[in-house]
Amino acid sequence: MKLKAQIQDEAGLNRALMRIAHEIVEHNKGAENLCLVGVRRRGEPIARRIAENIQKIEDRTVPVGSVDISFYRDDLSRLQEMPELRRTELPFDVNDRDLVLVDDVIYTGRTARAAIEAIFSCGRPRSIQLAVAVDRGHRELPIRPDYVGKNLPTSRQELVEVRLPEFDGETGVYLMDTAK
């Protein structure tokens, strides 16, 4: 893959995640019933960052969990290798809670659908909202995020990478070209 452009640096991504935190608090009229659920892998640290921002805004700790969507994907039969299984960790009761599902990039909507199914296997939340760092378009399912850090129209030959120190040693959003 070839780097086409850096879309956001660390400061830009941090500002976007702070804005998302403010929007979540405003939409939910506070943080009293909120829980954040990060989609494994990159959604987890993004959810923690948003929770830290909500803590600064509301002076209230918001529980954070994570969900593994491996068995809920609709393309398991097309995957060449068996998916790597990670644990779903929801250290709170999801029933009657307002959950904000957090992921790095939304593309077709299939990951969000799988994450919603995984959450419903754990209980029945009052609501599920979706927050993403980047919306790149090309939806295949009628799923739309409630909170978006950056709208970035892309072609299908492009890839959006949200790089985080936990996995990549740096922070930023990059547009990559997958054409050979």
Side-chain angles (χ1 to χ4, degrees):
M1 284 189 291
K2 180 181 164 192
L3 175 65
K4 285 185 82 171
Q6 181 177 11
I7 305 303
Q8 285 182 316
D9 60 9
E10 182 174 5
L13 183 57
N14 288 341
R15 281 190 302 274
L17 297 181
M18 180 58 84
R19 182 174 37 78
I20 287 173
H22 277 282
E23 290 174 3
I24 289 170
V25 168
E26 183 176 333
H27 177 81
N28 290 282
K29 297 176 178 58
E32 186 174 328
N33 198 45
L34 280 180
C35 296
L36 300 181
V37 179
V39 176
R40 294 219 178 216
R41 287 191 41 201
R42 284 176 170 75
E44 288 177 281
I46 294 171
R48 283 193 301 272
R49 288 183 186 187
I50 293 171
E52 290 167 6
N53 290 339
I54 291 173
Q55 170 73 39
K56 292 174 189 172
I57 298 165
E58 289 289 296
D59 195 27
R60 179 181 210 103
T61 301
V62 175
V64 179
S66 62
V67 66
D68 178 18
I69 63 161
S70 299
F71 280 130
Y72 298 92
R73 293 179 59 111
D74 62 359
D75 60 353
L76 272 178
S77 63
R78 290 200 267 170
L79 296 176
Q80 292 179 355
E81 299 177 21
M82 285 302 295
E84 180 182 336
L85 299 179
R86 299 175 194 97
R87 289 193 347 237
T88 291
E89 296 176 17
L90 297 173
F92 45 81
D93 184 7
V94 301
N95 290 300
D96 296 317
R97 300 298 292 268
D98 294 309
L99 301 186
V100 179
L101 184 61
V102 180
D103 205 2
D104 59 344
V105 178
I106 187 167
Y107 179 39
T108 62
R110 293 180 184 281
T111 297
R113 183 210 50 83
I116 291 167
E117 282 188 39
I119 289 169
F120 277 130
S121 73
C122 297
R124 176 130 168 84
R126 181 165 70 184
S127 69
I128 299 177
Q129 301 158 44
L130 179 59
V132 297
V134 179
D135 183 348
R136 64 170 287 195
H138 302 286
R139 221 69 83 239
E140 294 174 1
L141 299 174
I143 292 176
R144 180 179 52 89
D146 301 282
Y147 314 103
V148 177
K150 180 83 172 164
N151 284 295
L152 181 63
T154 63
S155 77
R156 293 192 185 270
Q157 288 72 43
E158 294 172 322
L159 178 76
V160 175
E161 287 185 2
V162 176
R163 296 183 188 167
L164 301 170
E166 295 87 342
F167 306 109
D168 311 299
E170 66 176 307
T171 302
V173 177
Y174 297 86
L175 184 62
M176 310 297 287
D177 189 350
T178 62
K180 295 180 182 178

